[in-house]
Structure formats: structure tokens, C-alpha cells
């Protein structure tokens, strides 16, 4: 479906849970998110009906996210059923990867072809500090599994935070030397629920180009500007939601675990699908797509996202 600004919406991000086994400082409060009544959350059948409604409107790509999608009890079944929906060509997952070693095989068998793996640092103390509860060893075991299990593509997403990991740009980027892995640096976004970082934390991803003068530009892919280190198997990507937003090319809508369609990540606008059948969901979704804002306002440490929800309740 084409929205009123001429953007073709082909991509749905489905958050299957707002809960997580980590507590990343930029994403969640230390105590986690408030538990919502089970009855308020989408059931597996409702999620699949929503995917069917989206596919009937032209969505071809589904990304399963969270919270942490791998802690959802029925995640393999959701992925398997979603992958079979007519019109869906690709099911991808975004994960912190801690549970991948025990789940990768089942996910692949269910039809998940691509993984985006979130990892901001290669330093064990920093990993424990940014995730509040995580162990880098487990994350690295998950990354190794992601790279060897047989997914068609693996990307590593690192949130770039001034004063925290901007001195790790090279080691993170050099993960692309040996493996066919795309490492993408993403600008920190000022979201509700996340810690209030100071202005100096919001650094543009162009800092990566300064740190790695050897990067060679490649053809860009969706929201990421892509580069390659000499001789590397994988690519380095820059994603700049703050310094250079990509609203004009935005092809996505989001569905939260409690059934709200968010036409724009940074707008407070939401449309509820909870309790609706296929035809009503399709109609509500079409309305949300037509009402998708042209652009979100500026974002900075002082000018926070207008989203009413934090990232863990949206899915990134
Ligand atoms: N738990 C999964 C994970 O971490 O990959 C999926 C959900 S998480 C909300 C999706 C992505 O959002 C992660 O890559 C995370 O780094 C990113 N994210 C969360 N809060 C962010 C923020 N304030 N700014 C930029 N990216 C953020
Ligand atoms: Fe959990 Fe992902 Fe948010 Fe980290 S970024 S707290 S792993 S949902």
C-alpha cells in the first residue's frame, strides 16, 4: 500500500513481547517495564491475523522483535506460522542473542532467514554496565551461533554512545574482516524509558568515518549507508535516525505486543488492533498507513521522541 506521501509500505516490525532478559540503559528502566495484564496482549492467533492483514496490504517483510523475542514461549510457532502467510517473503528477527545457542536451529527450521544481533561493546565490564545484567561471554556465544547456524544474513547493530563505546569503533568494525557480517552503528535515540544521557552521548555516526578513514563506500541498503574495510568479508553500516533521518524513505509500520499499530516510531499516534478480526484489522491498518506522518520532529538530548512508549515496548 502507498501512503499519502508516496511511500510504499512493505515492512512490518512485530514486537512479540515487551519483556526482556536484559535491561539496557538506553532502552529500559532498571526494574523493567510494568507488567500488563495477559488479556491486554495480542494472542498468537491475533499476531498471525495481523501479519495476514499486513500482507494483504502489500507487506512482504516481517521483522520479529521485542523486548527480547527469544524469551517468548511460543516464538518458534509464531515465526513458523508468520513465514507461511501468503505474501510474506522474509521473516527476520532482532535479538540480543543470549538464547540463540539453544534456539537457532528451531528458528531456521521455522523459516527465519535473517538475524539482527544487538551488541554495543566487546568489553565484558562495559557489556555488564550497559545491559545492567548481561554477560559478554553469553552474548559472544550467541553471536558465534548466529554466524555458523545457517542464517542467510547476520547483521550486528551497535548503538554508538559518546564517552561509552566511541573508542571501540575499530574493534567492532573489524568483526567484518573474518566473517560475512554487517556491523551497523546506530545513533542513540532519546526515548522514554531509557536513561537520560547527556548531550555528549549523542554523537553522529559520521564519527565512524573519522575513526576508519580506510572505509570504502558501497551501494546503500535501505536505511543504512554502507562501507567496507579493505579486504573485509562483511560491510560497515551507518544508521543516522538523529543526525540525518530517513522519513522520506520510511517503508515500515510497527505493531506492539499489546496490539497497537505505530505508523511512526517517534509519534505518539497509535491504532489498536486488539480484539479485531481480519477485515477490521486490515481496515485499521490501512487507516494507520494513510495517517503515517510525513516526518518526525528533530531529536536530541533536549528534544526527546514524542513516542509514548520506550524502545522495549516498540521493538526498535
Ligand atoms: N531485545 C532485542 C535486541 O536488543 O536486539 C530486540 C528489541 S531492541 C528494543 C531493538 C533494537 O533497539 C536494539 O538493537 C537496541 O540496541 C535498539 N535500541 C533500543 N533503545 C535504543 C535507543 N534509545 N537508541 C537507539 N537504539 C536503541
Ligand atoms: Fe532488552 Fe533489546 Fe531493550 Fe536491551 S535493547 S533492554 S536487549 S529490548
Amino acid at each position: 500500500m502507498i501512503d499519502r506521501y508516496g511511500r510504499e509500505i512493505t515492512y512490518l516490525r512485530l514486537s512479540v513481547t515487551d519483556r526482556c532478559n536484559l535491561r539496557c540503559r538506553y532502552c529500559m528502566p532498571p526494574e523493567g517495564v510494568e507488567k500488563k495484564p495477559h488479556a491486554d496482549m495480542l494472542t498468537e492467533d491475533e499476531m498471525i491475523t495481523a501479519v495476514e492483514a499486513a500482507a494483504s496490504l502489500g507487506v512482504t517483510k516481517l521483522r520479529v522483535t521485542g523486548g527480547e523475542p527469544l524469551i517468548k514461549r511460543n516464538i518458534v510457532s509464531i515465526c513458523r506460522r508468520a513465514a507461511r502467510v501468503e505474501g510474506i517473503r522474509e521473516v527476520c528477527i532482532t535479538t540480543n542473542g543470549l538464547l540463540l545457542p539453544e534456539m537457532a536451529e528451531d528458528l531456521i527450521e521455522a523459516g527465519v532467514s535473517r538475524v539482527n544481533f544487538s551488541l554495543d561493546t566487546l568489553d565484558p565490564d562495559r557489556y555488564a554496565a550497559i545491559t545492567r545484567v548481561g554477560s559478554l561471554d553469553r552474548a559472544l556465544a550467541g553471536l558465534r551461533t548466529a554466524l555458523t547456524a545457517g542464517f542467510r544474513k547476520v547483521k550486528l547493530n551497535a548503538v554508538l554512545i559518546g564517552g561509552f563505546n566511541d573508542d571501540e569503533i575499530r574493534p567492532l568494525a573489524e568483526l567484518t574482516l573474518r566473517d560475512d557480517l554487517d556491523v551497523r552503528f546506530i545513533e542513540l535515540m532519546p526515548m522514554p524509558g531509557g536513561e537520560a544521557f547527556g548531550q555528549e552521548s549523542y554523537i553522529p555516526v559520521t564519527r565512524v568515518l573519522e575513526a576508519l578513514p580506510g572505509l570504502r563506500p558501497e551501494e546503500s541498503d535501505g536505511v543504512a549507508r554502507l562501507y567496507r574495510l579493505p579486504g573485509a568479508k562483511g560491510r560497515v553500516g551507518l544508521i543516522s535516525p538523529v543526525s540525518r533521518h530517513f522519513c522520506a524513505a520510511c517503508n515500515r509500520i510497527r505493531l506492539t505486543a499489546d496490539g497497537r499499530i505505530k505508523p511512526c516510531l517517534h509519534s505518539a499516534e497509535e491504532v489498536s488492533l486488539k480484539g479485531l478480526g481480519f477485515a477490521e484489522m486490515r481496515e485499521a491498518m490501512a487507516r494507520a498507513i494513510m495517517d503515517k506522518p510525513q516526518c518526525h520532529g528533530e531529536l536530541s538530548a533536549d528534544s526527546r521522541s514524542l513516542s509514548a512508549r520506550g524502545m522495549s515496548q516498540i521493538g526498535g
Side-chain angles (χ1 to χ4, degrees):
M1 183 172 164
I2 298 189
D3 77 1
R4 70 175 76 220
Y5 301 104
R7 297 170 295 198
E8 191 178 2
I9 307 303
T10 55
Y11 178 12
L12 173 67
R13 295 180 69 101
L14 169 66
S15 172
V16 293
T17 176
D18 56 8
R19 315 189 68 71
C20 189
N21 46 359
L22 294 181
R23 297 279 182 274
C24 302
R25 289 176 185 274
Y26 44 69
C27 179
M28 272 208 190
E31 65 282 6
V33 293
E34 199 182 325
K35 194 164 168 39
K36 292 203 170 126
H38 189 64
D40 290 356
M41 310 309 276
L42 288 183
T43 62
E44 177 175 329
D45 284 348
E46 284 175 324
M47 286 181 195
I48 299 304
T49 305
V51 174
E52 288 167 347
S56 77
L57 292 170
V59 164
T60 56
K61 172 173 170 180
L62 178 72
R63 176 168 301 283
V64 176
T65 176
E68 174 47 44
L70 300 190
I71 65 168
K72 178 91 175 158
R73 181 189 43 80
N74 49 346
I75 185 65
V76 173
S77 171
I78 293 170
C79 292
R80 180 178 295 112
R81 291 176 65 189
R84 288 183 187 154
V85 169
E86 198 182 327
I88 296 296
R89 295 198 201 124
E90 202 169 46
V91 176
C92 320
I93 206 158
T94 296
T95 175
N96 61 36
L98 299 184
L99 295 173
L100 264 184
E102 49 263 50
M103 296 182 69
E105 230 172 80
D106 288 346
L107 292 168
I108 291 172
E109 179 269 325
V112 177
S113 56
R114 293 168 176 258
V115 174
N116 281 7
F117 193 101
S118 303
L119 183 68
D120 306 323
T121 174
L122 297 171
D123 178 283
D125 294 334
R126 288 183 185 180
Y127 186 82
I130 197 75
T131 63
R132 291 198 183 97
V133 295
S135 134
L136 181 67
D137 281 349
R138 279 189 71 194
L140 292 178
L143 180 60
R144 205 28 51 204
T145 303
L147 289 168
T148 53
F151 291 107
R152 204 146 55 76
K153 184 73 198 169
V154 181
K155 296 178 184 173
L156 185 149
N157 290 339
V159 179
L160 188 59
I161 307 172
F164 171 69
N165 62 358
D166 48 338
D167 60 346
E168 289 191 78
I169 291 173
R170 180 169 289 281
L172 284 164
E174 285 183 349
L175 293 173
T176 65
L177 292 177
R178 284 193 323 265
D179 289 300
D180 180 14
L181 169 72
D182 286 358
V183 171
R184 306 175 333 152
F185 293 94
I186 303 179
E187 287 170 356
L188 175 64
M189 289 180 266
M191 301 299 291
E195 207 166 282
F197 286 81
Q199 193 70 57
E200 63 292 349
S201 303
Y202 294 90
I203 56 174
V205 277
T206 44
R207 192 67 63 81
V208 174
L209 301 178
E210 293 161 20
L212 303 172
L215 282 176
R216 298 275 172 274
E218 300 239 322
E219 201 173 319
S220 287
D221 143 34
V223 299
R225 280 173 282 156
L226 294 173
Y227 301 82
R228 196 180 292 268
L229 287 170
K233 286 196 175 149
R235 299 169 296 182
V236 172
L238 308 188
I239 303 182
S240 51
V242 179
S243 68
R244 191 168 120 175
H245 57 68
F246 25 78
C247 303
C250 183
N251 63 349
R252 59 195 63 185
I253 52 172
R254 296 171 164 85
L255 178 57
T256 65
D258 60 350
R260 307 298 165 104
I261 286 282
K262 275 185 72 74
C264 170
L265 173 59
H266 297 300
S267 147
E269 207 172 305
E270 299 181 345
V271 175
S272 179
L273 303 186
K274 179 68 192 162
L276 305 185
F278 173 83
E280 298 160 299
M281 274 195 195
R282 188 175 192 277
E283 199 188 315
M285 232 180 242
R287 238 182 305 120
I289 290 174
M290 277 328 262
D291 289 343
K292 186 172 162 71
Q294 184 171 23
C295 201
H296 58 70
E298 294 306 317
L299 301 171
S300 70
D302 305 326
S303 171
R304 292 174 80 82
S305 172
L306 298 178
S307 170
R309 297 163 182 264
M311 277 300 218
S312 64
Q313 297 166 300
I314 303 171

